[in-house]
Amino acid sequence: MVQNSAPCQKNYLFRHLFLSELGLQLYLRVFLSNKVVENQVKTYITYNKGRDWRLLRAPSTDLQGNRVYCEQPYCSLHLHLHVSESPYTSGNIISKDSAPGIIIASGVVGPELTSTNISVFITSDTGNTWREVFQEEYSVFFLNQGGSLVAIRHTPLPIRHIWLSFDEGRNWDKYSFTSSPLFVDGVLGEPGEDTLIVTIFGHFSHRSEWQLVKIDFRSIFQHRCTSEDYLTWQLHNEEEVCIMGMKRIFQKLKANARCVKARDQYISQMSDSCPCTEADFECDYGFERQLDGGCTPAFWFVPSAASRDCITGDSFLNTTGYRKASSNNCTAGTLLKYSPRRQKCPSQAPRGLQLFTSEGTLVATLGRNVTFLVFLEEGLGSMTSVTVDFGDGTAISYGNISSIDDGVKHMYDKVGIYQVSATASNSLGSDRVTLYLHVSCQLEQVQLSAPSVVVKNKAVNLTTILQPSNVGTVTYYWWFDNKTEPVVTLDGTMSFTFSREGGHSVTVQASVGSTVHQDHMKIAVYDYFRSHVLAFSSNLDDLNPGVSEWREDIGRVVKHCMVQVTGISEDQLLVTVLPGLPTTAEVFIVPERKSRDGASDEKWAHLDQLSQVLLSALNQDLIQFTLKPGVQVNVFATRLSPAPLVDSSDSTHSGTAVIMLVSVVLMGLAVFVIYKFKRKIPGMNTYTAEQPDKEQEVIPTVTSIAVPNPEGDKLTSLDHVDVQLDSNSRGIYVSVCFVRASGSVQVSAFSTRVAKWSFDFIYLKQLPTTSFCGIQSKEDCKFVIPKTP
């Protein structure tokens, strides 16, 4: 498959190419080609090695003598140009150098080439006119050194006849070569003097052995050919006898001349050169043929570039846009008109200076050589100096621009955008060109940093962290949720406002040169929430590998521990472990789904209540987990989160938060006083239950914050037990949380307000061993809280 590279013929695609060689001494060649034109395959022919192509003229009549109506370019003859690779078959098209002008091929007449209704066509004048000889596919072979033709039907069915023609296919005689039909597998002609003998091989049935039938045609030829058996024939192209600058006349056998032709018994009687015409010239390099037949410079070609290496005072051959076709033998005529002309080398200032990288890009990698190429379109290159400034304080000069054809190499040691310039100058003037080169290093990773939970309709800052941090010019692409069009920025930070509650996805891509990395995270959006920053005991930092998967695992463990200790629903807690050292995290307390439609004050009060329960547990070191055997990690609160928790314009919520903080301080003092002086307070006594086979323990009670139990006296979880006092105890709610730590049992009692009450007895069963926070069974604890006066 050969593609035509001429710009004016870019819509044509050569599918197949067939070469017919006419005349061994003169090496005359005619080309047939199938091209794709507007999605149709058409057959074209050329007599001047591709300078001009035209469609094949269809036969004027069909095999029955009926007139064929076929008008170009809508209808023409199209041929299958598959040459046989087997020596035993003829293929779709054949020609022979000893039979000048004869080409036999399978094809169709119509608007394009198809694989149906195929016939066999023959030309005796090298493609000028064609005749239909068979309306089915036949294998045709040359006999008698090309003086006769033998045809065998190309079919999978058994056959018994062959056809013989002595007049270049105009008439055919039918012969029987076997008494029983034979499945023909191939035909073999013998060379030399025995060219009148043909061997056909095949089999009578699929189970039979091969059969060889040898046919000797010598008996039907009358004598050896003499000069009287020949006539003269002149090669032409639609009556134009000058082809490739020559006139050629050949000898051919007369029709029905049944004589034996000796080898090489054809000669070219006359071969004479013709005067040159425009048809003998093709477009020179850099030029393309127009519709009017003229050759003009292509858009990318600068004709004056041929003189850039020309030395002042010398001369050079300047093209006229034409060159004589290869192997063309024309003389005189218009030869001088289209031949190159000698001109003196011009003296001019440099113009059309070009500067670009060898790879054709404006991106380079730090620490690698960049090759800059410098070209001058017009001007004396050998007398023109050039200076290349790399933009980083380094420049290099050359006295002759022609000496840097291989380019100039340079290596940058810092990332950034550099202005690279080249200046060419000679005694007549100068020219300058500039490009901007982006030097970057390889980007390894991009990490997206943003709060896990944000407030609806409040701007949130999204930040990216690159590794390494300084990689050069970076383009960022931001996708929010399922939007198909990204937001493009040159800054690694941006502010975005989420206007809808629920889960949202954020994806960022960082592009540096040809490298692109991305990161993705989920962000939850609520109308309101509470958050606190968490810290860990220092032993966790020693085991922090700094990977996101480890932080996610730690976040899940801390959340599970908080749920077990405080009894807060896991749907209302979100824990995010932040990157970096020391290890920190942020816990978010979000409203329940079923309570989002309630009154604003009630919603805030409920979150504040849960927040105080969580803070109390953190302050008492109740949130802890075992990272690995022997490594116990404590979690505690450090300070309020910098995240936007509430609208600062809402003074009611701010006042509520202040009151709750003051209440925490006061209740903490009350806890300390009661614990310190509990034995001195009348009516408050602490006892231990008598248990056989067990050592008695005294478990102190600590008064703190309590959370109302929505189910009254029913136990709500394994670790969080709410007991409602009788109405005579002034409506006090007590919440007790048990946490096993280091083999002992800690008991904490929380209360919403200070009141005068006392425990008479607390019966505590021995707790089973547990490796995590919380108690495994509700029956582990038993409380007896009598009425108070």
Side-chain angles (χ1 to χ4, degrees), residues 51 240 242 245 274-282 322 324 328 330-335 337-338:
R51 180 197 183 279
E240 173 58 49
C242 286
C274 299
C276 292
T277 64
E278 191 272 341
D280 297 309
F281 294 85
E282 59 187 2
Y322 299 85
K324 192 165 67 170
N328 191 289
C330 70
T331 57
T334 59
L335 182 62
K337 177 180 177 181
Y338 296 104

Side-chain angles (χ1 to χ4, degrees), residues 17-22 28-32 83 93 95 103:
L17 193 63
F18 175 77
L19 171 64
S20 176
E21 184 176 343
L22 307 178
L28 174 63
R29 294 178 178 179
V30 176
F31 292 90
L32 291 166
V83 180
I93 184 169
S95 68
I103 303 174

Side-chain angles (χ1 to χ4, degrees), residues 144-404:
N144 188 24
Q145 296 292 329
S148 305
L149 300 175
V150 176
I152 299 179
R153 185 181 176 187
H154 184 67
T155 175
L157 301 177
I159 59 175
R160 53 187 298 179
H161 297 99
I162 62 172
W163 283 259
L164 185 63
S165 175
F166 298 93
D167 56 0
E168 298 178 344
R170 293 178 179 85
N171 297 285
W172 295 85
D173 298 326
K174 186 176 180 181
Y175 294 89
S176 246
F177 67 92
T178 178
S179 58
S180 300
L182 181 71
F183 291 94
V184 176
D185 295 321
V187 179
L188 181 63
E190 298 183 10
E193 294 297 330
D194 295 329
T195 54
L196 299 179
I197 298 176
V198 174
T199 302
I200 302 175
F201 60 93
H203 51 278
F204 292 116
S205 68
H206 294 291
R207 295 184 179 179
S208 66
E209 297 180 351
W210 272 7
Q211 305 292 325
L212 277 76
V213 179
K214 187 175 181 180
I215 306 174
D216 191 346
F217 292 96
R218 287 179 293 185
S219 61
I220 63 175
F221 291 97
Q222 301 170 353
H223 59 277
R224 283 192 174 272
C225 298
T226 64
S227 59
E228 296 180 355
D229 296 316
Y230 287 89
L231 55 80
T232 59
W233 170 78
Q234 186 171 19
L235 178 67
H236 65 93
N237 174 16
E238 294 184 335
E239 307 305 327
E240 173 58 49
V241 296
C242 286
I243 298 177
M244 296 295 287
M246 297 289 291
K247 294 179 181 179
R248 294 180 175 87
I249 298 177
F250 297 89
Q251 284 185 335
K252 297 177 66 174
L253 281 178
K254 295 179 181 178
N256 293 317
R258 299 193 179 188
C259 61
V260 179
K261 184 179 178 182
R263 174 175 290 274
D264 298 335
Q265 196 176 359
Y266 76 93
I267 59 173
S268 175
Q269 287 186 337
M270 185 176 67
S271 178
D272 192 13
S273 62
C274 299
C276 292
T277 64
E278 191 272 341
D280 297 309
F281 294 85
E282 59 187 2
C283 292
D284 201 354
Y285 171 79
F287 292 79
E288 56 188 13
R289 192 171 300 279
Q290 304 302 316
L291 295 177
D292 60 358
C295 296
T296 59
F299 72 94
W300 50 267
F301 182 68
V302 180
S304 59
S307 63
R308 67 178 183 179
D309 294 328
C310 186
I311 300 176
T312 303
D314 291 348
S315 61
F316 71 102
L317 289 175
N318 190 17
T319 180
T320 59
Y322 299 85
R323 65 184 177 193
K324 192 165 67 170
S326 177
S327 302
N328 191 289
N329 298 306
C330 70
T331 57
T334 59
L335 182 62
L336 295 178
K337 177 180 177 181
Y338 296 104
S339 299
R341 300 170 184 174
R342 184 163 295 279
Q343 296 180 358
K344 291 184 177 181
C345 295
S347 298
Q348 57 184 357
R351 188 173 63 179
L353 185 65
Q354 299 181 21
L355 172 66
F356 47 89
T357 63
S358 59
E359 296 183 354
T361 64
L362 298 178
V363 179
T365 303
L366 187 70
R368 296 183 181 177
N369 274 327
V370 185
T371 302
F372 296 96
L373 301 179
V374 184
F375 290 99
L376 186 63
E377 293 182 355
E378 297 182 11
L380 186 58
S382 59
M383 302 295 293
T384 302
S385 62
V386 62
T387 300
V388 180
D389 188 341
F390 302 106
D392 60 351
T394 306
I396 187 170
S397 297
Y398 295 88
N400 184 351
I401 193 173
S402 303
S403 63
I404 56 173

